[in-house]
Amino acid sequence: MDRVLSGMQSSGKVHLGNFVGALQNWVKLQDRYDCYYFVADWHALTTGYTNPSALHESVTDLLVNFLAAGLDPDRCTIFLQSRIPEHAELHLLLSMITPLGWLERVPTYKEKQQELQDRDLSTYGFLGYPLLQTADIIIYRAKYVPVGVDQVPHLEISREIARRFNNFYGEIFPEPDALLTEFPKVPGVDGRKMSKSYGNAIYLSDSPKEVEQKIRTMTTDPARVKRTDKGDPENSPVYQLHKVFSTKEELAQVADGCRTAGIGCIDCKKILIKNVFAVLEPIWTKREALLNNPDQLRGIIEKGNDKARNVAQETMQLVRKAMGLY
Ligand code: TRP
């Protein structure tokens, strides 16, 4: 089986957008590939280095949610990046052969610096973000990397670095390919892209009450002031979420009801709440079981770490030898 690898940066809690956009897809890939999935806690430090307690909480949230979303430790390898120090060793060695210009021209470098102007991101570690990601991928000699389009520039530089390494030292690394999957973009409760930095996210760790509250208080088409006012569903963030979570019939029903004032916004939201709950209920149950059994959780991660580390160590033996190290 070809190997697949992907990671998620631990800089916040897992929300419905992450679930629909990434985790559900990871779950599907488990049976078709030899899958390695990890929490990128070092990557979280590149931008979140002043807030260790947030990082700590996020790591647990991610690991619990990986499992609650349906990743099965018997069918894939789940691990924590910082427990595999070989990633750091490979990152260092790759830094010897990586031209600075390659890193400086990765578009996410300038974009993220612009976006996070409240943080000092003129750091060595932040510039090296895509190089660490490259090490994450090629140390497992992974063939496919399931990611969103935003990660394509990182995959591009990973391929270039693998190629450069192979030119200098012999064919050790396959060039990894992005595995782009089309999934619906999940808008947040305000209609913008769901993101923790917009404060518009529904988290897998939210209680049923919190989820209900978040949906109940969503804005709808401003044209519908009174119950009898007709509206345009496309102007309502609620409808955008229906598109992701509701059936075709329900979608037609609420769209028509909005245009004709046949349905009120509260009833429209009730249907959405029911459907979001249907997605979250199995996750809530599994989360609770895992959180009540920290030993089981620790055991699963340790087993995954051991397995990942074995592969990483094998690769590093080849790499050290190829680069003339002892
Ligand atoms: N950069 C990725 C993100 O922000 C996380 C990540 C780190 C990753 N290392 C990786 C993804 C290796 C795929 C493969 O989502």
Side-chain angles (χ1 to χ4, degrees):
M1 269 203 272
D2 287 330
R3 189 167 288 154
V4 153
L5 173 127
S6 198
M8 200 176 276
Q9 189 176 310
S10 49
S11 45
K13 297 179 286 186
V14 178
H15 56 59
L16 271 177
N18 307 130
F19 176 69
V20 173
L23 286 179
Q24 275 192 323
N25 184 40
W26 291 10
V27 170
K28 276 195 219 129
L29 296 170
Q30 292 185 106
D31 293 315
R32 263 186 283 156
Y33 298 99
D34 179 22
C35 293
Y36 282 67
Y37 298 125
F38 72 101
V39 171
D41 51 347
W42 279 333
H43 277 101
L45 278 179
T46 63
T47 44
Y49 57 87
T50 58
N51 199 348
S53 61
L55 173 68
H56 197 81
E57 273 174 35
S58 173
V59 168
T60 312
D61 186 77
L62 259 64
L63 289 172
V64 168
N65 285 320
F66 278 13
L67 297 163
L71 293 186
D72 176 354
D74 292 327
R75 290 186 288 153
C76 68
T77 306
I78 302 167
F79 66 96
L80 181 58
Q81 182 188 39
S82 64
R83 304 314 301 263
I84 321 294
E86 286 76 13
H87 289 220
E89 184 184 355
L90 183 57
H91 176 224
L92 173 82
L93 295 178
L94 294 177
S95 78
M96 307 301 171
I97 66 162
T98 303
L100 269 183
W102 289 17
L103 292 171
E104 284 163 345
R105 67 161 198 251
V106 174
T108 49
Y109 178 57
K110 295 246 158 59
E111 282 164 22
K112 268 263 175 285
Q113 277 190 333
Q114 282 298 316
E115 196 182 305
L116 303 172
Q117 287 201 17
D118 53 324
R119 308 186 196 178
D120 181 359
L121 297 183
S122 305
T123 57
Y124 183 51
F126 185 65
L127 178 66
Y129 185 111
L131 194 60
L132 180 58
Q133 181 161 351
T134 301
D136 296 337
I137 298 167
I138 68 178
I139 204 165
Y140 298 98
R141 284 167 279 164
K143 194 153 180 212
Y144 299 115
V145 185
V147 283
V149 276
D150 60 309
Q151 295 293 312
V152 168
H154 292 162
L155 257 293
E156 198 44 55
I157 190 170
S158 294
R159 296 168 59 81
E160 282 169 352
I161 289 164
R163 202 175 309 144
R164 187 167 165 91
F165 184 100
N166 291 343
N167 279 336
F168 289 151
Y169 309 113
E171 287 286 325
I172 292 185
F173 298 118
E175 288 178 30
D177 266 320
L179 204 58
L180 288 177
T181 24
E182 280 305 313
F183 27 73
K185 277 258 168 295
V186 183
V189 291
D190 60 358
R192 293 187 289 173
K193 177 180 179 244
M194 187 176 285
S195 157
K196 71 163 171 112
S197 45
Y198 294 154
N200 64 0
I202 294 175
Y203 296 102
L204 304 195
S205 55
D206 282 347
S207 67
K209 253 212 170 90
E210 285 169 312
V211 175
E212 191 173 346
Q213 174 73 6
K214 283 180 181 179
I215 296 177
R216 264 184 193 286
T217 53
M218 283 177 72
T219 55
T220 55
D221 180 0
R224 298 202 65 185
V225 183
K226 287 189 268 89
R227 168 69 181 79
T228 48
D229 293 334
K230 295 177 182 164
D232 178 354
E234 291 298 342
N235 293 339
S236 167
V238 178
Y239 186 64
Q240 303 307 324
L241 274 175
H242 270 297
K243 286 183 185 170
V244 181
F245 295 104
S246 300
T247 63
K248 274 205 178 73
E249 293 72 34
E250 287 166 328
L251 207 55
Q253 181 201 340
V254 297
D256 183 63
C258 185
R259 284 189 199 102
T260 59
I263 186 175
C265 295
I266 295 178
D267 287 326
C268 171
K269 287 173 177 176
K270 276 189 186 150
I271 299 172
L272 179 62
I273 290 170
K274 164 182 78 80
N275 292 337
V276 169
F277 269 42
V279 170
L280 286 174
E281 260 152 9
I283 296 178
W284 285 328
T285 311
K286 285 194 215 151
R287 273 181 57 87
E288 184 152 311
L290 285 159
L291 290 170
N292 285 329
N293 197 345
D295 288 342
Q296 186 198 4
L297 184 63
R298 200 169 315 117
I300 290 171
I301 301 315
E302 275 167 12
K303 191 173 143 236
N305 288 344
D306 286 346
K307 194 163 162 230
R309 191 145 192 222
N310 275 332
V311 179
Q313 280 175 339
E314 259 173 46
T315 306
M316 285 317 293
Q317 282 186 358
L318 301 175
V319 170
R320 287 183 205 117
K321 189 156 171 254
M323 292 183 82
L325 299 164
Y326 277 89

